[in-house]
Amino acid sequence: MKLSGFKTAIFLSILISLAFISGVSADTAINNVCEINKSGIYYLNNSITSDSGNIITITCSDVVLDGNGFYLDGNGVAEGGIYANGVTNVTIKDVTVQGFRYGIYLKYVDNSTLENNAANLNELVGIYLLNSTNNIVTYNNGSDNHLYLVLENSNNNTITNNTANSNNDCGIFLDSSDNNTITGNTANSNADDGIYLEHSHNNVLTGNTASLNKLTGIDIWYSNYNELINNTANSNNDSGIYLAVSDNNVLTGNTANSNNDCGIQLDGSNNNTFTGNTVSSNHENAIYMLDSYNNTFTGNTANSNEYGINLDASHNNTFTGNTANSNGDYGLLIYDSENTALINNVFNESGMHIQSESNISAYWNTHTIENNTVNGKPIYYFKNNVGGTVPTDAGQVILANCSGMNMENLNLSNTTTGLELGLSSGNNITNVTANSNFWEGIRLYYSDNNLLTGNTLMDNSNGISMRDSDNNALTGNTLMDNSNGIVLGTSNNNILTGNTANSNGKYGIYLSGSNNNALTENTVNSNNKYGVYIMYSNNNNITENIANLNYYGMYLENSNANNIFNNTFNNTDNFAILNSTNYWNTSAENGGGNRWFSNGTGFSETHFDYDGDGFCDPYYTLDGNNIDYLPIPLDPTTHSDITVPDVTINSPIETTYYVNNIEINVTASDNISGISSVIAEIESVKNITLELDGDYYLGNIGNLSNGNYKITINATDWARKSNSAESVNFKILTPEIYDLTTENNENIGLVSIFVDEDILNFTYKITEPNWSISEIHLTAFNESPNDPASMWYTEKYLTKNGKVKTFYFNEEFDPSAFEASGTVNLTEIPVDPSGTLYIAANAVVRKEGAKKSVDAWANGTSISDRTDIMYVEYPLE
């Protein structure tokens, strides 16, 4: 029986083999472009190239197409390699499709398989599933396509173990496709995203690798209820995993390391769950959340990122049992966010921080922060407390809307900000050590009336930082080796007394937009850039401070009305001033100005007290708007100067000036004490204080009337010795100037006439183009033009009666002139010596191109017009 059975088995095996051989012989070979419209098994007998349409079109179900390793080539212009529409149970395997718009295109295709195919160099898509369900796409590969694998409106498909590398856009792309399983695929080095989902829900992505892509590893938009499990998204140029407007997704056990942006990023995404993910060594945030609510993070690891976890305007999120070690700046930042729960998280070498650009209390006092540690020490978060003491085992302290609390003898180091106060007032901070924190040792936000005394802050970004915080007192604090010592931003009425801010990287003390603060008896030495820097800050009192060995002792930018006195400066540059006007001394009784040293060349080292008032002579001009009138000398003794200043009057000189606005120019010098003041006295008129401009003392006599004057110069040195021996006599005689107006009422020039001693001076000048002078005339009468019976009312210039004495001056020009001047000796004119001489002026002028000349009169009126006649009155002796 056993033998008979064995033989029967052999017989059946032979029959099966024969049947198989018969089936193979029935397969259909494809040698050229074709349509498969009958069910069966087909195979490529050779590679096929075509420039148009689809090479193989499948229009029936139950088809197996075996490429046998051959390729289909569209030469970069054909529509498709393989196209199937409205069929089921199709298998396509072992074929390479290249150079098409679509490599393999399944439209309304269900329950089919794509296996071990290659799709390269296709213009749009390598493998495209449209409205296709329950298909398996496995062990395919493709590169240099625009998109490699696309599912559009395609559900319940299984995408496994495919390789989608180095494509021109995304490797794997899902649009409006749900309930797909995407497992074990590789999508690396693509020019856009590795894996992209849009409007796609309830998909499961497991064990995929999406690394080294130009944008994001796994990019999810408007997609909900997806699961991402054990995927790797490393070293992408943007973020590792990105969720935008995507809710209720679950991310578990994924790795997103070494990305150029964030490890995991959420934008407008809510109710997502993140468990056991690793996000490390990213160049920006480990996890960044913007406008994302009600997300849960449990047991994730975020180490060695440029920044840790950042909540930006994201509310009601929960973090439990996460680890954030060795991140730059912060392990976790809560920025303008409410109702965050932080429980049982571990931070090392950077802690947490709360920050807001406004004073909205909900950003500070709505959080639940419990049982977290930094560097093995508790993080204490107090909200809405009145009174109380912070335990001394604290590793980091945050106060939100608290008052009357005591913080004393704490060591808050190697975290983000050692001690942070938000909207907290009336607290005492004493003998706190806060060193080597990424941001501040102590930071105050919108916090007033706090006392900070005797604290030590070293090697922080800012030792003490205050933002919008008023009426605080900082006394006796030590701030060294920080990037900046004390920083005040828009903080007013604070008192900084007796603090030491030395050897900081940039600023010892910095004020921006901060007014009415008092900086007294502070020491700011050896800071790399600025001792005290004041920008857009006004009405501050800066007194009795020491600023030595900084590059700039005091820097002021757009800051005014600050009182700066009784300070000691000894720096490379003691000051720099930009658009600022300030007060640099108080009264002599209250100590005067400042001490200005600079390795033997400072003003206080090179200038002395000559007048016995205890201050340098002369005063110290920092710039045109900033003067220390009472600089304090290094040598307190009074120096003697018995010589008087040397004075030379350069202008005016002994002459007649035909203008009434003359510059005063004086050279004054004193080689011992220097010049204190130079005053010009115009005898019986006024005194003018001259100002030094370069090497000269300058002023102006002002508008003096015609006459003779005497000017005397009084120069006084700082030893109060004066020289008033220099004087000059001068005369001012300004001419009358009249318009030269034609008979057609055109103003074409000017006429000036004046009498100096017995000489009549006149000048005619053409000012309008195209006009010139042909003749000039001067006429003089003894009679007033105001007398109707006078010669002025006749149309003749000369009469035969003997009672009128006249002269008539006439000159013709050939060719015409543009200016003419001359003099008349009035003593040579036959006039009545008992009266007054009245002088009138006119001219004959011509316009270029005109047929004839016309008359023009000074003051616009000819003699025959009988009114408003220009004349000069010359009294005769």
Side-chain angles (χ1 to χ4, degrees), residues 609-816:
D609 174 18
Y610 289 100
D611 57 8
D613 65 354
F615 301 102
C616 294
D617 298 315
Y619 48 76
Y620 185 21
T621 301
L622 287 71
D623 68 14
N625 296 316
N626 295 272
I627 299 173
D628 185 347
Y629 289 99
L630 297 172
I632 302 170
L634 173 64
D635 182 355
T637 61
T638 300
H639 288 233
S640 62
D641 179 6
I642 61 174
T643 63
V644 298
D646 294 324
V647 177
T648 301
I649 302 175
N650 305 310
S651 174
I653 61 176
E654 292 191 4
T655 188
T656 298
Y657 290 92
Y658 300 106
V659 294
N660 63 355
N661 197 359
I662 305 169
E663 181 185 63
I664 305 172
N665 183 307
V666 173
T667 302
S669 63
D670 186 289
N671 293 330
I672 299 178
S673 64
I675 299 297
S676 170
S677 66
V678 178
I679 297 174
E681 178 188 354
I682 300 176
E683 189 174 51
S684 301
V685 178
K686 58 183 173 181
N687 293 339
I688 302 168
T689 300
L690 306 185
E691 300 292 337
L692 181 63
D693 186 352
D695 295 330
Y696 303 100
Y697 289 87
L698 304 179
N700 196 285
I701 65 171
N703 294 319
L704 296 180
S705 58
N706 291 350
N708 296 307
Y709 297 94
K710 178 180 180 181
I711 185 170
T712 301
I713 302 299
N714 187 335
T716 303
D717 63 20
W718 287 100
R720 302 177 184 176
K721 301 295 189 297
S722 297
N723 180 357
S724 56
E726 294 294 317
S727 63
V728 167
N729 296 304
F730 63 94
K731 182 178 181 180
I732 290 179
L733 184 59
T734 56
E736 299 288 341
I737 298 176
Y738 307 91
D739 290 328
L740 182 62
T741 306
T742 70
E743 59 193 41
N744 297 321
N745 291 321
E746 290 185 71
N747 292 332
I748 63 168
L750 300 171
V751 177
S752 66
I753 297 178
F754 67 92
V755 177
D756 184 10
E757 302 295 341
D758 293 318
I759 304 300
L760 172 70
N761 296 265
F762 62 87
T763 300
Y764 292 72
K765 184 175 183 179
I766 297 295
T767 58
E768 293 300 313
N770 303 320
W771 286 90
S772 59
I773 303 171
S774 300
E775 303 175 22
I776 61 172
H777 305 281
L778 290 174
T779 305
F781 298 91
N782 280 130
E783 298 172 322
S784 168
N786 298 317
D787 181 1
S790 73
M791 187 63 187
W792 295 91
Y793 277 76
T794 71
E795 294 188 5
K796 299 291 184 180
Y797 302 146
L798 302 175
T799 64
K800 294 181 179 180
N801 63 44
K803 73 173 186 176
V804 176
K805 304 295 182 180
T806 67
F807 81 85
Y808 182 70
F809 181 90
N810 176 62
E811 185 173 353
E812 297 183 357
F813 299 95
D814 185 21
S816 299

Side-chain angles (χ1 to χ4, degrees), residues 248-252 271-275 277 294-298:
N248 298 291
N249 298 284
V250 176
L251 283 74
T252 304
N271 298 297
N272 299 285
T273 300
F274 298 82
T275 305
N277 301 285
N294 299 299
N295 298 284
T296 300
F297 293 81
T298 305

Side-chain angles (χ1 to χ4, degrees), residues 407-717:
M407 289 143 279
E408 188 172 1
N409 300 322
L410 307 177
N411 190 332
L412 310 173
S413 300
N414 296 299
T415 180
T416 298
T417 297
L419 172 58
E420 185 177 10
L421 277 66
L423 289 85
S424 296
S425 301
N427 301 284
N428 295 314
I429 304 168
T430 306
N431 196 32
V432 169
T433 298
N435 297 338
S436 302
N437 295 291
F438 275 100
W439 285 356
E440 285 81 6
I442 299 174
R443 188 169 195 169
L444 278 65
Y445 271 112
Y446 299 98
S447 295
D448 306 331
N449 298 297
N450 298 284
L451 301 178
L452 286 72
T453 307
N455 303 288
T456 300
L457 308 115
M458 301 176 65
D459 194 31
N460 305 285
S461 178
N462 296 318
I464 297 174
S465 175
M466 299 166 59
R467 166 75 183 274
D468 293 288
S469 297
D470 304 334
N471 298 297
N472 298 284
L474 283 64
T475 304
N477 301 286
T478 299
L479 309 100
M480 298 179 65
D481 298 316
N482 305 284
S483 296
N484 304 301
I486 300 174
V487 175
L488 275 65
T490 56
S491 297
N492 307 318
N493 299 298
N494 298 285
I495 298 173
L496 283 65
T497 304
N499 302 286
T500 299
N502 294 344
S503 303
N504 297 289
K506 193 170 185 180
Y507 307 107
I509 298 175
Y510 174 92
L511 275 66
S512 176
S514 298
N515 306 318
N516 299 299
N517 298 284
L519 283 65
T520 305
E521 297 182 355
N522 301 287
T523 299
V524 285
N525 293 342
S526 302
N527 297 286
N528 285 349
K529 194 70 173 177
Y530 307 97
V532 178
Y533 188 104
I534 301 178
M535 180 172 66
Y536 296 101
S537 299
N538 307 316
N539 299 298
N540 297 285
N541 290 322
I542 304 167
T543 61
E544 300 183 61
N545 302 284
I546 297 173
N548 293 338
L549 302 175
N550 307 284
Y551 189 85
Y552 290 106
M554 172 75 67
Y555 190 100
L556 295 110
E557 179 180 351
N558 294 297
S559 297
N560 300 297
N562 297 286
N563 296 307
I564 307 167
F565 51 83
N566 296 165
N567 303 287
T568 298
F569 298 102
N570 188 357
N571 306 276
T572 304
D573 286 324
N574 281 323
F575 63 88
I577 302 172
L578 178 64
N579 298 326
S580 302
T581 301
N582 296 281
Y583 307 108
W584 294 86
N585 58 271
T586 182
S587 65
E589 295 77 11
N590 290 314
N594 301 279
R595 297 172 179 84
W596 304 97
F597 304 142
S598 186
N599 295 322
T601 62
F603 192 88
S604 295
E605 297 165 293
T606 58
H607 293 76
F608 306 99
D609 174 18
Y610 289 100
D611 57 8
D613 65 354
F615 301 102
C616 294
D617 298 315
Y619 48 76
Y620 185 21
T621 301
L622 287 71
D623 68 14
N625 296 316
N626 295 272
I627 299 173
D628 185 347
Y629 289 99
L630 297 172
I632 302 170
L634 173 64
D635 182 355
T637 61
T638 300
H639 288 233
S640 62
D641 179 6
I642 61 174
T643 63
V644 298
D646 294 324
V647 177
T648 301
I649 302 175
N650 305 310
S651 174
I653 61 176
E654 292 191 4
T655 188
T656 298
Y657 290 92
Y658 300 106
V659 294
N660 63 355
N661 197 359
I662 305 169
E663 181 185 63
I664 305 172
N665 183 307
V666 173
T667 302
S669 63
D670 186 289
N671 293 330
I672 299 178
S673 64
I675 299 297
S676 170
S677 66
V678 178
I679 297 174
E681 178 188 354
I682 300 176
E683 189 174 51
S684 301
V685 178
K686 58 183 173 181
N687 293 339
I688 302 168
T689 300
L690 306 185
E691 300 292 337
L692 181 63
D693 186 352
D695 295 330
Y696 303 100
Y697 289 87
L698 304 179
N700 196 285
I701 65 171
N703 294 319
L704 296 180
S705 58
N706 291 350
N708 296 307
Y709 297 94
K710 178 180 180 181
I711 185 170
T712 301
I713 302 299
N714 187 335
T716 303
D717 63 20

